[in-house]
Amino acid sequence: MSAFPANLVAAALDNPSAALAGTDLRITLPLTRALLNELLAARPANTPVRELLIDPNARNCFRVFVKAQAPVLGTVSRQILFAPGLPVSFPDQPWLRFDIKDGLGFLDRSLISLLQGMIESKLPKGVELTSNYLRLHVPALMTDLGYQQLVPLVQLLSVKSEANRLILDLHLKAE
Amino acid sequence: MHPVLQHLMNTDFADLEGSRVEGTFAVSDDLVNLGLHELIAQLVTAPASAPAAAPAPYDSTPTEKTAAPDPKALLRRVDVEKLQYRTEAGRTILEMACAIKK
């Protein structure tokens, strides 16, 4: 017997503002470097990206090492330094943004184009990469995962970097 | 099993240390009642005795069992600082503060 009957979960997700009214939860989830790299290692196969590793540091930045097979250029390796941006809050600020501080420049257009192609073909809509930033449209991603009705509950979603881990803070509220 | 879940199990969920949930979890009476009906329905319709599986033909090939995640392995690491139940008109409320201890 399932601990959470499917109909019950479906009813809660169908109208969470009514079913969960009064809920006010703050969730802190530390994501260690080991766990993040396990997540990255479980990325879709058969992409030009040969290696993808992340290294969070204590200055609220994290470095991503990427090695990709690019047309004409061959194997390209870059270390890209990201800094987390403003927290997500619904509906005014839907983007979870990471500014690129170092590692990608104007001359890396072919690598960016390659990564953009991979993002478009392998990841849900709502992920954008330029030479200046990577940003995720959280409502679009939640909708793609089937949790559109939970979007209005997101009061805050933020990511911060500490030594060897990212800290994900989530505040959910149903009024 | 997903490799990330396998990693968490292999490392005794150490990568989740410091995780924390705090606040109020409220559930409407409608949802509680739906849950009760679901529970009754499952109890009534659950087969009293499942038909015995046909004996498998002899196979000398060792089969690797997929280890199911054991919720106790994670629950052992949960530090419950606060857990209070109460009700209000139309809803059931759980005040909680839980963390994954180091």
Side-chain angles (χ1 to χ4, degrees):
Chain A
M1 185 184 302
S2 168
F4 296 101
N7 289 348
L8 201 59
V9 175
L13 291 180
D14 188 46
N15 189 358
S17 296
L20 306 176
T23 294
D24 187 350
L25 284 175
R26 292 174 189 272
I27 301 166
T28 300
L29 193 60
L31 302 166
T32 63
R33 180 170 54 181
L35 184 60
L36 288 165
N37 284 313
E38 287 287 338
L39 286 165
L40 292 178
R43 67 187 182 274
N46 304 321
T47 70
V49 175
R50 299 287 181 262
E51 286 185 47
L52 191 59
L53 298 165
I54 186 168
D55 183 20
N57 70 37
R59 294 176 297 280
N60 199 26
C61 287
F62 59 92
R63 203 170 287 279
V64 171
F65 174 77
V66 57
K67 182 186 280 187
Q69 194 67 32
V72 182
L73 296 175
T75 303
V76 179
S77 299
R78 290 289 183 277
Q79 287 193 46
I80 308 166
L81 185 67
F82 288 93
L86 292 172
V88 171
S89 61
F90 182 83
D92 300 329
Q93 212 301 87
W95 293 99
L96 186 60
R97 177 175 166 129
F98 303 96
D99 291 315
I100 295 177
K101 296 294 187 184
D102 191 23
L104 273 187
F106 182 71
L107 295 175
D108 283 314
R109 276 182 301 177
S110 62
L111 177 61
I112 294 168
S113 174
L114 188 74
L115 294 173
Q116 284 170 334
M118 192 192 87
I119 286 169
E120 284 177 14
S121 64
K122 300 286 184 181
L123 297 179
K125 290 201 182 306
V127 183
E128 286 185 10
L129 175 72
T130 73
S131 59
N132 295 318
Y133 63 79
L134 169 71
R135 66 177 190 170
L136 317 176
H137 193 274
V138 173
L141 291 171
M142 289 177 70
T143 299
D144 191 78
L145 292 168
Y147 297 117
Q148 183 179 14
Q149 304 295 336
L150 291 179
V151 171
L153 274 59
V154 177
Q155 296 289 301
L156 180 140
L157 171 65
S158 73
V159 174
K160 287 176 284 188
S161 180
E162 294 182 353
N164 297 319
R165 63 183 193 171
L166 297 182
I167 308 292
L168 192 149
D169 280 309
L170 177 62
H171 180 195
L172 294 174
K173 191 170 183 180
E175 296 174 302
Chain B
M1 185 182 298
H2 193 278
V4 176
L5 182 56
Q6 186 70 58
H7 167 81
L8 287 172
M9 290 178 62
N10 292 346
T11 53
D12 196 23
F13 299 96
D15 281 321
L16 297 181
E17 284 175 4
S19 299
R20 182 174 180 83
V21 179
E22 183 170 9
T24 305
F25 183 60
V27 182
S28 71
D29 284 357
D30 286 344
L31 198 64
V32 172
N33 285 319
L34 179 64
L36 287 174
H37 286 288
E38 282 273 316
L39 181 65
I40 296 296
Q42 287 192 8
L43 289 173
V44 169
T45 56
S49 59
Y58 176 75
D59 183 358
S60 61
T61 310
T63 55
E64 188 178 334
K65 287 187 177 177
T66 305
D70 179 6
K72 287 181 186 170
L74 178 59
L75 290 174
R76 274 197 296 269
R77 301 188 70 108
V78 175
D79 183 16
V80 180
E81 299 167 17
K82 177 182 177 185
L83 195 59
Q84 290 179 344
Y85 164 89
R86 63 185 170 87
T87 57
E88 284 182 2
R91 59 188 172 190
T92 297
I93 292 170
L94 210 54
E95 303 277 0
M96 63 170 74
C98 306
I100 307 288
K101 56 191 171 190
K102 296 182 179 176

